[in-house]
Amino acid sequence: MHRLRTCAARLRPLTASQAAQTVGQQRPLTVASTGNTRTFQPIRCYSAPVASEPFLNGTSSNYVEEMYFAWLEDPKSVHKSWDVFFRNANAGAPPGAAYQSPLSLSAAPGLAAPQLSSLVGAQPNVEKLVEDHLAVQSLIRAYQIRGHHVAQLDPLGILDADLDSCVPTDIITSSDKLGFYGLNESDLDKVFRLPTTTFIGGSETALPLKEIIRRLEMAYCQHIGVEYMFINDLEQCQWIREKFETPGVMQFTPEEKRTLLARMIRSTRFEEFLQKKWSAEKRFGLEGCESLIPSLKTIIDKSSENGVENVIMGMPHRGRLNVLANVIRKELEQIFCQFDSKLEAADEGSGDVKYHLGMYHRRINRVTDRNITLSLVANPSHLEAVDPVVQGKTKAEQFYCGDNDGKRVMSILLHGDAAFAGQGIVYETFHLSDLPSYSTHGTVHVVVNNQIGFTTDPRMARSSPYPTDVARVVNAPIFHVNADDPEAVIYVCKVAAEWRATFHKDVVVDLVCYRRMGHNEMDEPMFTQPLMYKQIKKQKPVLQKYAEKLIAEGVVSRQEYEEEISKYDKICEEAYARSKDEKILHIKHWLDSPWPGFFTLEGQPKSMSCPSTGLSEEDLAHIGQVASSVPVEDFTIHGGLSRILKGRAEMIRNRTVDWALGEYMAFGSLLKEGIHVRLSGQDVERGTFSHRHHVLHDQNVDKRICIPMNHISPDQAPYTVCNSSLSEYGVLGFELGFAMASPNALILWEAQFGDFHNTAQCIIDQFICPGQAKWVRQNGIVLLLPHGMEGMGPEHSSARPERFLQMCNDDPDVMPNITEDFAVRQLYDCNWIVVNCSNPGNYFHVMRRQILLPFRKPLIVFTPKSLLRLPEARSSFDDMLPGTHFQRLIPDGGVAAEHPEEVKRLIFCTGKVYYELTKERKNRGMEGTVAIARMEQLSPFPFDQVKAEVERFSNADLVWCQEEHKNQGYYDYVKPRIRTTINRSKGVWYAGRESAAAPATGNKNTHLMELRRFLDTAFDLDAFKDQQ
Ligand SMILES: Cc1ncc(C[n+]2csc(CCOP(=O)(O)OP(=O)(O)O)c2C)c(N)n1
Ligand SMILES: [Mg+2]
């Protein structure tokens, strides 16, 4: 490579002064382009040495580099003139002097390189030959790069799939375009040697120009448009060229054609059946893109042949029911009963519309006779939001089965054209594709490109030529295909699956199709796309076209074709009849991720209790020791880190933990118990606040790292800690998907600062909060959201607790029955758990509880910033020993508790403000009159413990104190619940910042003044007198 670069560097064009010395004859070249005639500046100086030729710029120099490679392997593989040129260049000829016109093309091989002094000398015939060969090679390259622009991709024949209506000037769409290359019609019968970077020759090494153009057109300008020349890997480009350029490569056996026809029949007749039975129901039919079904089946068959056992899919509304029926093979009666509005749901929760539900199915692949598991991940309406979720689930399945390179588990993502181009999450997901802790080793993307998004034309929907251009960012090849040519579709799908199996990189299949109906079956498309839909009405359905083709070819008879149709119609009718027997809808039949053995057979938790989350003194000491040492030899850590580790060792000696150690104890103990822990997010390895240091870096050896958490015990589960890409939406979606795969793992996503979670709002609103209610599947993902008003300005301050609390499903106005298992039952009933721990001991417990609970719920944790290092905010081992557990509410245990009847005020608070309140109380000497209770679990609300605390301080008034603004934070959530707890017998007064639009001030002084003000209120026992 180095030699090539050196040589290529010598091939660069001369500087202006060098060029001036060598300028020879210059010929203006005229070429006709569509419509007008353009005069080009001279582009070649043929009497000048090769080195001053513009063809050595850009793409051409790549071409020369490739030729140089080929020459290195076999000097005979390049034209004689290039052989001489490379020999001279390699022999050290100065720039501009390496080119020599060969004496004769038939000169004996092995001729010694001529003296450099004799190099210059023009031989017009030979020059013309070299010139024409170069022209032909440029022409081949032009087809490889731009052939897809003229491919016939649109089945309707009215739109350009690439929005770029101009025809490239260097593609020979008419014979006058030959002039662009300095060629003319008389050259068409001349034979040209083919470069090594094309496969159009098959076994031939030279072809007449006419045939070269014909073959290029066959390869690049028919129903397949291949976009790949941006890939900067020669091997990958060659691989693709071979697949598409080799003559006759697209051959199908009659058997394959019959299978394809049968699949087209299923796809088409399924939609027709639904239309017939439920003509007034939305189903987002596939009409116009029926070849999607055979396309997916081909990808799956081919992947199964290559060893894939598990395929995880994500897709939008379009054709989803068809995919469930004909790809995943969900029982038809189950699908049909979803159309019966009278059936009652057997499961709790809201359920979801039929075209959002997920599915999991294990079966034998009929083509390969191998077991295959197919799942379709449930998703919301929010287009593309499921993409990272699918990737996370795929990664997890790969991880848990030890599939390190994606040979056994893969993902397929389907997209609509408008959504693929428009939704930023697509880009975020692509950017995860090659990151070590996020890669799924290649995803096959299939775009249902019906050239419309609801009512919007592509021209109004995107600025990129193709809807698929986003995939270029990761060098994924893009295969555009006219979806009305089912064989072309099948071929590209085979290649896509092989690409994934060979290179383990993403690939895109762009099914250019149309949408026969409106956006849904109720919609009138003629309002907005009248001409397109006039054409669509005339369009013969693809099944009919393909059947006629096969009948004409004699592959099937009309009778066989009709029998196949009746066979499938009968299957549908029978399933329809069976669906009438269904009395009840079971959403749990639509689970996308079964958790075998975790629940009872009826799907219930195995108990309604949670064991103590405490840990033995030895375990605490042992994990503490790992956390404060470097468990590998000859590893030099940074001096500052040594001090941190010493500090940790000192704390462990004193049987205390700070926040980082508390977390270490939680993660370390779970790992020891065989629970995989995965912590992902921006800069999580060190920790945004430089407190965590889970990955140590050798100061002397580049990229040498050590993860002490993986040195806790020999048979522990692995710990994954990974700095993520700078994405919230994508990465949180990914971790949510990861957490779906298994209940026996603690999966955490940490925001850099809590407020950044809102760029992942869709994952929170659409998946995490209502996921179980919509799709039955529980999820134990943990969100760590740094939160706290510390004078850092409007951003970096608030994780927006109010939003999470507003979405909790518990009723503020109903006092629940306090039973013995109340605390666990409440957790079981909630949609998510929201906590704000004030000390590391409690944080440790809530992390462990997350796994020791017999069910899974999302956990939202507002985590501290300044408390990470606050000496008062440490915990003792005593708070973490066996028998201890998470405290939902930490009651006042100080002076106030000694004479509770003397307490005049009970302040409820949560999180960091507790330390400001206790300091203020001490300063004011009010420890006997003001009690402070910490609400550590905000939701589900600790009704029982709040009640006990209020009853204990029966003479006290009640204040909720928070550092957040009044319209933010927790007040609106806790106030009605406290009132319900006390049967509305007292008021709940507010001490905190006033309502505001921004979460925090940017001015430090204002920040402190606000703090002072609300502390004054909190301790002014007369403050609320007027309001009583
Ligand atoms: C994030 C998001 N925004 C808007 C919508 C509303 N919507 C539903 S379908 C649709 C058009 C989708 O077009 P396309 O991706 O091309 O899929 P098609 O329906 O054509 O198959 C829109 C805008 C949505 N579902 N999700
Ligand atoms: Mg569309």
Side-chain angles (χ1 to χ4, degrees):
M1 191 63 197
H2 173 71
R3 278 184 62 208
L4 168 68
R5 290 286 166 223
T6 324
C7 179
R10 264 194 266 127
L11 300 178
R12 297 277 172 252
L14 298 183
T15 60
S17 61
Q18 286 170 314
Q21 292 162 22
T22 52
V23 166
Q25 182 197 352
Q26 298 185 338
R27 291 191 296 169
L29 182 74
T30 309
V31 68
S33 72
T34 34
N36 45 5
T37 302
R38 297 214 310 249
T39 305
F40 279 70
Q41 289 303 306
I43 58 166
R44 296 198 180 109
C45 319
Y46 292 107
S47 61
V50 173
S52 62
E53 293 271 19
F55 72 76
L56 289 176
N57 280 316
T59 316
S60 306
S61 82
N62 288 345
Y63 162 65
V64 174
E65 284 178 12
E66 280 169 27
M67 203 154 43
Y68 179 69
F69 265 130
W71 175 81
L72 283 176
E73 272 176 29
D74 175 11
K76 286 201 209 102
S77 66
V78 301
H79 190 273
K80 196 88 209 149
S81 61
W82 282 105
D83 178 27
V84 174
F85 175 75
F86 287 137
R87 272 192 281 141
N88 288 339
N90 259 18
Y99 175 70
Q100 181 200 11
S101 303
L103 296 171
S104 150
L105 279 179
S106 57
L111 204 70
Q115 291 299 304
L116 293 180
S117 58
S118 69
L119 285 173
V120 183
Q123 302 229 348
N125 287 344
V126 175
E127 274 174 21
K128 167 80 174 127
L129 198 66
V130 171
E131 177 188 330
D132 287 351
H133 267 81
L134 280 172
V136 168
Q137 286 161 0
S138 303
L139 183 147
I140 293 172
R141 190 147 278 244
Y143 275 83
Q144 292 172 335
I145 298 171
R146 279 178 288 281
H148 56 87
H149 287 297
V150 293
Q152 298 149 38
L153 297 175
D154 177 17
L156 302 175
I158 48 175
L159 287 173
D160 290 303
D162 62 355
L163 288 192
D164 208 351
S165 44
C166 71
V167 175
T169 21
D170 50 0
I171 299 291
I172 310 301
T173 44
S174 55
S175 54
D176 57 352
K177 286 199 157 191
L178 286 168
F180 177 79
Y181 295 96
L183 298 166
N184 57 48
E185 279 192 55
S186 69
D187 293 315
L188 285 171
D189 291 321
K190 281 194 199 150
V191 173
F192 289 87
R193 199 183 174 82
L194 298 166
T196 53
T197 48
T198 187
F199 291 82
I200 54 167
S203 53
E204 324 261 358
T205 53
L207 287 174
L209 178 57
K210 202 176 359 177
E211 183 61 11
I212 291 175
I213 295 173
R214 194 188 71 80
R215 293 196 188 183
L216 288 170
E217 287 202 335
M218 290 306 288
Y220 289 108
C221 308
Q222 299 301 301
H223 287 158
I224 299 174
V226 195
E227 251 194 299
Y228 68 103
M229 288 293 280
F230 50 83
I231 298 176
N232 37 33
D233 180 299
L234 182 62
E235 186 198 348
Q236 291 173 11
C237 286
Q238 286 290 73
W239 189 93
I240 293 172
R241 284 178 198 133
E242 187 169 9
K243 297 287 174 197
F244 289 100
E245 290 184 352
T246 308
V249 76
M250 225 173 82
Q251 298 285 348
F252 296 91
T253 63
E255 192 47 44
E256 284 174 315
K257 291 183 181 188
R258 278 193 291 271
T259 305
L260 173 51
L261 182 68
R263 289 174 170 180
M264 290 297 296
I265 289 174
R266 282 176 168 260
S267 172
T268 309
R269 301 299 288 192
F270 177 79
E271 297 294 352
E272 284 177 15
F273 187 81
L274 295 186
Q275 183 62 24
K276 193 171 71 187
K277 296 287 185 205
W278 296 281
S279 56
E281 281 273 342
K282 282 190 208 170
R283 64 187 153 84
F284 297 104
L286 197 50
E287 292 94 333
C289 194
E290 288 89 345
S291 45
L292 175 70
I293 300 302
S295 110
L296 292 176
K297 289 182 85 77
T298 304
I299 295 165
I300 293 166
D301 292 347
K302 199 80 203 154
S303 302
S304 162
E305 201 179 298
N306 286 320
V308 168
E309 299 157 5
N310 189 348
V311 179
I312 296 149
M313 295 165 54
M315 72 174 294
H317 50 285
R318 179 86 44 222
R320 193 175 173 110
L321 297 176
N322 209 327
V323 168
L324 282 167
N326 288 317
V327 178
I328 304 197
R329 293 292 180 114
K330 175 90 188 151
E331 300 87 345
L332 289 177
E333 52 268 40
Q334 288 291 330
I335 297 175
F336 296 158
C337 26
Q338 289 286 332
F339 284 88
D340 188 342
S341 53
K342 288 192 278 311
L343 281 189
E344 236 177 77
D347 314 83
E348 287 172 17
S350 59
D352 202 350
V353 292
K354 49 193 163 292
Y355 39 83
H356 288 166
L357 297 175
M359 176 62 200
Y360 168 95
H361 193 42
R362 190 170 164 77
R363 64 183 180 92
I364 299 272
N365 179 291
R366 297 215 186 123
V367 175
T368 59
D369 222 16
R370 295 181 183 175
N371 262 322
I372 188 135
T373 302
L374 301 173
S375 49
L376 178 65
V377 176
N379 60 253
S381 251
H382 295 56
L383 293 167
E384 306 290 347
V386 80
D387 298 0
V389 182
V390 168
Q391 299 300 56
K393 181 165 150 59
T394 306
K395 182 75 182 173
E397 302 281 4
Q398 291 175 346
F399 184 82
Y400 294 126
C401 76
D403 179 20
N404 297 330
D405 35 22
K407 292 204 166 115
R408 292 162 57 197
V409 185
M410 71 175 279
S411 55
I412 302 178
L413 285 179
L414 280 79
H415 315 269
D417 53 321
F420 199 48
Q423 292 292 306
I425 187 61
V426 175
Y427 181 88
E428 290 190 31
T429 308
F430 269 116
H431 266 290
L432 298 176
S433 69
D434 221 9
L435 305 180
S437 297
Y438 303 85
S439 171
T440 55
H441 310 284
T443 299
V444 181
H445 298 265
V446 180
V447 183
V448 174
N449 180 359
N450 51 19
Q451 309 181 84
I452 191 165
F454 210 146
T455 65
T456 303
D457 287 335
R459 261 161 226 287
M460 303 301 151
R462 62 175 196 259
S463 294
S464 62
Y466 288 104
T468 52
D469 285 329
V470 60
R472 295 169 65 127
V473 76
V474 293
N475 275 330
I478 300 160
F479 306 143
H480 308 280
V481 57
N482 183 324
D484 260 15
D485 181 346
E487 290 181 6
V489 168
I490 295 316
Y491 186 70
V492 298
C493 288
K494 271 189 193 168
V495 176
E498 277 174 34
W499 164 273
R500 196 243 166 220
T502 309
F503 298 109
H504 287 286
K505 284 171 61 76
D506 284 27
V507 51
V508 179
V509 173
D510 178 22
L511 298 177
V512 186
C513 55
Y514 60 96
R515 190 187 71 193
R516 187 168 286 278
M517 315 285 228
H519 175 59
N520 61 56
E521 292 64 33
M522 310 293 103
D523 245 12
E524 174 51 82
M526 294 288 280
F527 285 149
T528 48
Q529 273 76 21
L531 295 188
M532 184 188 203
Y533 273 81
K534 270 184 200 156
Q535 176 62 36
I536 288 175
K537 278 184 188 149
K538 283 190 242 150
Q539 190 81 0
K540 201 185 260 189
V542 58
L543 173 62
Q544 201 181 325
K545 283 200 274 186
Y546 190 55
E548 280 166 11
K549 176 177 181 287
L550 294 198
I551 292 167
E553 284 176 15
V555 174
V556 289
S557 66
R558 183 159 295 279
Q559 191 191 347
E560 285 168 325
Y561 166 57
E562 280 162 7
E563 277 168 12
E564 191 68 32
I565 290 185
S566 328
K567 207 167 90 191
Y568 185 65
D569 287 355
K570 189 159 167 262
I571 292 173
C572 290
E573 283 296 349
E574 285 168 3
Y576 177 70
R578 281 196 303 277
S579 77
K580 295 277 163 206
D581 300 337
E582 297 281 338
K583 297 283 172 276
I584 215 148
L585 275 183
H586 290 281
I587 301 190
K588 61 173 173 276
H589 291 165
W590 295 81
L591 266 182
D592 50 25
S593 319
W595 290 348
F598 186 67
F599 295 112
T600 63
L601 287 179
E602 291 74 44
Q604 295 302 312
K606 288 185 174 160
S607 77
M608 242 333 140
S609 63
C610 180
S612 164
T613 42
L615 216 57
S616 73
E617 181 93 24
E618 300 80 68
D619 279 347
L620 290 169
H622 171 64
I623 298 167
Q625 185 268 327
V626 174
S628 34
S629 58
V630 184
V632 293
E633 308 225 313
D634 299 328
F635 196 98
T636 313
I637 58 168
H638 189 270
L641 189 54
S642 296
R643 278 192 295 282
I644 292 174
L645 297 192
K646 274 200 196 102
R648 286 183 180 173
E650 175 72 16
M651 276 188 272
I652 298 298
R653 265 195 302 280
N654 295 331
R655 301 181 68 254
T656 54
V657 294
D658 64 1
W659 204 272
L661 272 176
E663 186 178 81
Y664 231 106
M665 299 297 182
F667 291 4
S669 57
L670 291 171
L671 292 166
K672 198 157 172 263
E673 290 157 23
I675 300 296
H676 170 230
V677 179
R678 176 181 162 102
L679 171 62
S680 151
Q682 290 149 30
D683 307 291
V684 294
E685 296 177 4
R686 189 201 72 171
T688 299
F689 312 103
S690 202
H691 68 294
R692 184 175 283 132
H693 298 287
H694 283 185
V695 178
L696 312 180
H697 293 259
D698 195 317
Q699 299 292 303
N700 300 326
V701 185
D702 189 30
K703 298 193 181 71
R704 184 172 180 225
I705 56 163
C706 164
I707 302 175
M709 199 81 84
N710 275 324
H711 295 257
I712 288 173
S713 98
D715 53 357
Q716 69 169 90
Y719 176 53
T720 309
V721 56
C722 37
N723 287 350
S724 73
S725 71
L726 211 170
S727 137
E728 287 82 23
Y729 192 175
V731 176
L732 178 57
F734 187 96
E735 301 312 332
L736 178 85
F738 205 108
M740 278 165 72
S742 165
N744 300 316
L746 183 68
I747 309 300
L748 308 101
W749 174 75
E750 183 173 72
Q752 185 116 72
F753 287 93
D755 44 359
F756 294 121
H757 81 253
N758 62 7
T759 63
Q761 200 67 53
C762 177
I763 298 294
I764 295 167
D765 290 353
Q766 264 56 47
F767 290 86
I768 301 181
C769 173
Q772 184 186 345
K774 295 201 288 191
W775 309 314
V776 190
R777 169 49 58 240
Q778 299 182 354
N779 195 299
I781 183 133
V782 180
L783 271 61
L784 301 179
L785 306 176
H787 170 84
M789 308 292 120
E790 298 182 351
M792 292 172 80
E795 270 66 63
H796 302 138
S797 292
S798 178
R800 298 296 196 166
E802 65 278 9
R803 298 214 178 127
F804 291 94
L805 292 172
Q806 189 242 335
M807 290 195 280
C808 293
N809 66 356
D810 58 345
D811 190 331
D813 303 323
V814 177
M815 182 67 188
N817 258 348
I818 311 294
T819 53
E820 215 172 283
D821 60 2
F822 171 69
V824 177
R825 195 155 284 283
Q826 218 192 359
L827 291 172
Y828 181 69
D829 291 336
C830 77
N831 58 326
W832 58 16
I833 305 165
V834 182
V835 302
N836 187 359
C837 302
S838 64
N839 67 53
N842 228 17
Y843 175 58
F844 156 88
H845 282 297
V846 81
M847 290 286 127
R848 284 182 51 77
R849 185 182 77 171
Q850 190 65 358
I851 289 299
L852 295 181
L853 280 172
F855 47 81
R856 295 288 171 262
K857 295 286 166 164
L859 172 65
I860 317 299
V861 191
F862 303 116
T863 57
K865 295 175 288 180
S866 58
L867 293 200
L868 298 173
R869 295 187 172 81
L870 186 76
E872 294 86 340
R874 287 185 183 163
S875 294
S876 156
F877 276 16
D878 291 337
D879 300 326
M880 303 158 79
L881 291 174
T884 58
H885 54 84
F886 174 69
Q887 289 180 277
R888 288 175 290 141
L889 181 141
I890 306 181
D892 195 313
V895 181
E898 289 166 20
H899 300 286
E901 66 289 352
E902 288 173 16
V903 169
K904 300 277 179 293
R905 172 161 294 169
L906 170 56
I907 301 179
F908 285 106
C909 66
T910 187
K912 164 181 148 274
V913 76
Y914 168 76
Y915 296 96
E916 272 138 5
L917 285 169
T918 45
K919 197 164 138 207
E920 184 70 13
R921 178 173 66 174
K922 189 158 181 246
N923 288 345
R924 291 176 181 245
M926 296 177 79
E927 282 114 323
T929 44
V930 177
I932 305 174
R934 283 171 269 176
M935 211 174 277
E936 305 274 303
Q937 177 175 297
L938 292 145
S939 184
F941 191 73
F943 285 100
D944 51 340
Q945 297 182 333
V946 168
K947 183 161 187 276
E949 200 64 352
V950 174
E951 283 172 0
R952 187 158 69 120
F953 302 107
S954 54
N955 296 327
D957 66 0
L958 304 180
V959 170
W960 175 262
C961 180
Q962 65 178 31
E963 54 178 0
E964 295 81 0
H965 290 281
K966 191 172 183 180
N967 57 334
Q968 300 163 28
Y970 325 88
Y971 181 56
D972 285 340
Y973 175 82
V974 296
K975 182 179 170 183
R977 287 167 177 80
I978 299 177
R979 297 258 300 147
T980 296
T981 310
I982 58 174
N983 212 2
R984 293 171 191 82
S985 58
K986 287 184 185 177
V988 177
W989 312 122
Y990 174 77
R993 289 186 162 87
E994 289 165 9
S995 286
T1001 171
N1003 181 298
K1004 189 87 188 184
N1005 271 340
T1006 311
H1007 166 78
L1008 293 173
M1009 197 182 69
E1010 287 169 350
L1011 174 65
R1012 166 84 355 249
R1013 213 178 271 163
F1014 79 72
L1015 287 177
D1016 284 347
T1017 309
F1019 289 98
D1020 175 0
L1021 296 180
D1022 294 328
F1024 306 104
K1025 279 262 156 60
D1026 298 347
Q1027 298 175 41
Q1028 273 162 2

Short mmCIF file of all heavy atoms in Angstrom, two decimals, residues 317-318 415-419 447-454 456 513 515 519, ligand 2:
data_model
loop_
_atom_site.label_atom_id
_atom_site.label_comp_id
_atom_site.label_asym_id
_atom_site.label_seq_id
_atom_site.Cartn_x
_atom_site.Cartn_y
_atom_site.Cartn_z
N HIS A 317 -46.04 0.39 9.72
CA HIS A 317 -47.40 -0.09 9.46
C HIS A 317 -47.58 -0.81 8.14
O HIS A 317 -48.27 -1.80 8.04
CB HIS A 317 -48.33 1.13 9.50
CG HIS A 317 -47.82 2.24 8.61
ND1 HIS A 317 -46.75 3.03 8.98
CD2 HIS A 317 -48.18 2.66 7.37
CE1 HIS A 317 -46.49 3.89 8.01
NE2 HIS A 317 -47.34 3.69 7.02
N ARG A 318 -46.91 -0.29 7.07
CA ARG A 318 -47.20 -0.75 5.71
C ARG A 318 -46.88 -2.24 5.52
O ARG A 318 -45.73 -2.65 5.63
CB ARG A 318 -46.42 0.10 4.71
CG ARG A 318 -46.58 -0.24 3.28
CD ARG A 318 -47.76 0.40 2.59
NE ARG A 318 -47.94 1.80 2.90
CZ ARG A 318 -49.15 2.35 3.14
NH1 ARG A 318 -50.24 1.62 3.09
NH2 ARG A 318 -49.24 3.64 3.42
N HIS A 415 -38.45 -0.03 6.28
CA HIS A 415 -38.69 1.41 6.36
C HIS A 415 -39.64 1.87 5.24
O HIS A 415 -39.69 1.24 4.19
CB HIS A 415 -37.39 2.19 6.16
CG HIS A 415 -36.21 1.65 6.93
ND1 HIS A 415 -35.90 2.08 8.20
CD2 HIS A 415 -35.27 0.71 6.62
CE1 HIS A 415 -34.80 1.44 8.62
NE2 HIS A 415 -34.40 0.61 7.68
N GLY A 416 -40.30 2.99 5.49
CA GLY A 416 -41.03 3.68 4.42
C GLY A 416 -40.08 4.70 3.82
O GLY A 416 -39.16 5.16 4.50
N ASP A 417 -40.31 5.10 2.58
CA ASP A 417 -39.35 6.04 1.96
C ASP A 417 -39.33 7.39 2.66
O ASP A 417 -38.26 7.94 2.93
CB ASP A 417 -39.67 6.21 0.46
CG ASP A 417 -41.12 6.60 0.20
OD1 ASP A 417 -42.01 6.08 0.89
OD2 ASP A 417 -41.36 7.42 -0.70
N ALA A 418 -40.51 7.92 2.99
CA ALA A 418 -40.53 9.24 3.61
C ALA A 418 -39.90 9.19 5.00
O ALA A 418 -39.11 10.07 5.38
CB ALA A 418 -41.97 9.74 3.71
N ALA A 419 -40.20 8.15 5.75
CA ALA A 419 -39.69 8.06 7.11
C ALA A 419 -38.18 7.81 7.12
O ALA A 419 -37.45 8.38 7.93
CB ALA A 419 -40.41 6.95 7.86
N VAL A 447 -36.41 -0.94 2.18
CA VAL A 447 -37.25 0.26 2.11
C VAL A 447 -38.43 -0.01 1.17
O VAL A 447 -38.23 -0.39 0.02
CB VAL A 447 -36.45 1.47 1.59
CG1 VAL A 447 -37.31 2.73 1.59
CG2 VAL A 447 -35.20 1.69 2.42
N VAL A 448 -39.62 0.14 1.71
CA VAL A 448 -40.81 0.09 0.85
C VAL A 448 -40.97 1.50 0.29
O VAL A 448 -41.57 2.37 0.90
CB VAL A 448 -42.05 -0.37 1.66
CG1 VAL A 448 -43.31 -0.27 0.80
CG2 VAL A 448 -41.86 -1.78 2.15
N ASN A 449 -40.36 1.69 -0.86
CA ASN A 449 -40.29 3.04 -1.44
C ASN A 449 -41.44 3.22 -2.43
O ASN A 449 -41.28 3.07 -3.63
CB ASN A 449 -38.92 3.19 -2.12
CG ASN A 449 -38.73 4.55 -2.75
OD1 ASN A 449 -39.62 5.40 -2.71
ND2 ASN A 449 -37.58 4.76 -3.36
N ASN A 450 -42.59 3.56 -1.84
CA ASN A 450 -43.77 3.72 -2.71
C ASN A 450 -43.87 5.15 -3.24
O ASN A 450 -44.89 5.55 -3.79
CB ASN A 450 -45.05 3.30 -1.98
CG ASN A 450 -45.18 3.97 -0.63
OD1 ASN A 450 -44.53 4.99 -0.38
ND2 ASN A 450 -45.99 3.40 0.24
N GLN A 451 -42.81 5.90 -3.06
CA GLN A 451 -42.67 7.23 -3.66
C GLN A 451 -43.73 8.21 -3.18
O GLN A 451 -44.11 9.14 -3.90
CB GLN A 451 -42.67 7.11 -5.19
CG GLN A 451 -41.66 6.08 -5.67
CD GLN A 451 -41.62 5.97 -7.16
OE1 GLN A 451 -40.94 6.74 -7.81
NE2 GLN A 451 -42.36 5.03 -7.70
N ILE A 452 -44.15 7.99 -1.95
CA ILE A 452 -45.11 8.92 -1.35
C ILE A 452 -45.08 8.71 0.16
O ILE A 452 -44.80 7.60 0.62
CB ILE A 452 -46.53 8.69 -1.93
CG1 ILE A 452 -47.46 9.83 -1.51
CG2 ILE A 452 -47.11 7.34 -1.51
CD1 ILE A 452 -48.74 9.90 -2.30
N GLY A 453 -45.32 9.75 0.90
CA GLY A 453 -45.45 9.64 2.35
C GLY A 453 -46.78 10.27 2.73
O GLY A 453 -46.91 11.50 2.71
N PHE A 454 -47.76 9.44 2.98
CA PHE A 454 -49.11 9.89 3.30
C PHE A 454 -49.67 10.64 2.09
O PHE A 454 -50.15 10.02 1.16
CB PHE A 454 -49.11 10.75 4.57
CG PHE A 454 -50.39 10.66 5.36
CD1 PHE A 454 -50.38 10.73 6.75
CD2 PHE A 454 -51.62 10.53 4.74
CE1 PHE A 454 -51.56 10.66 7.48
CE2 PHE A 454 -52.79 10.47 5.46
CZ PHE A 454 -52.76 10.54 6.83
N THR A 456 -47.67 13.35 0.83
CA THR A 456 -46.56 14.23 0.44
C THR A 456 -45.67 13.58 -0.62
O THR A 456 -45.22 12.46 -0.45
CB THR A 456 -45.74 14.61 1.69
OG1 THR A 456 -46.63 15.21 2.62
CG2 THR A 456 -44.62 15.57 1.36
N CYS A 513 -41.55 1.12 -5.60
CA CYS A 513 -42.86 0.55 -5.89
C CYS A 513 -43.88 1.68 -5.94
O CYS A 513 -43.54 2.83 -6.19
CB CYS A 513 -43.20 -0.46 -4.80
SG CYS A 513 -43.12 0.22 -3.14
N ARG A 515 -48.08 2.82 -4.28
CA ARG A 515 -49.09 2.50 -3.27
C ARG A 515 -50.44 2.51 -3.97
O ARG A 515 -50.91 3.56 -4.39
CB ARG A 515 -49.02 3.58 -2.18
CG ARG A 515 -49.81 3.28 -0.94
CD ARG A 515 -49.79 4.52 -0.04
NE ARG A 515 -50.60 5.59 -0.62
CZ ARG A 515 -50.59 6.86 -0.20
NH1 ARG A 515 -49.79 7.23 0.79
NH2 ARG A 515 -51.36 7.76 -0.76
N HIS A 519 -53.27 6.38 1.70
CA HIS A 519 -52.36 6.06 2.80
C HIS A 519 -52.88 4.87 3.59
O HIS A 519 -52.17 3.95 3.94
CB HIS A 519 -52.20 7.28 3.70
CG HIS A 519 -51.38 7.00 4.92
ND1 HIS A 519 -50.09 6.55 4.84
CD2 HIS A 519 -51.68 7.07 6.24
CE1 HIS A 519 -49.62 6.37 6.07
NE2 HIS A 519 -50.57 6.68 6.93
MG MG B 2 -43.96 5.92 1.29
#
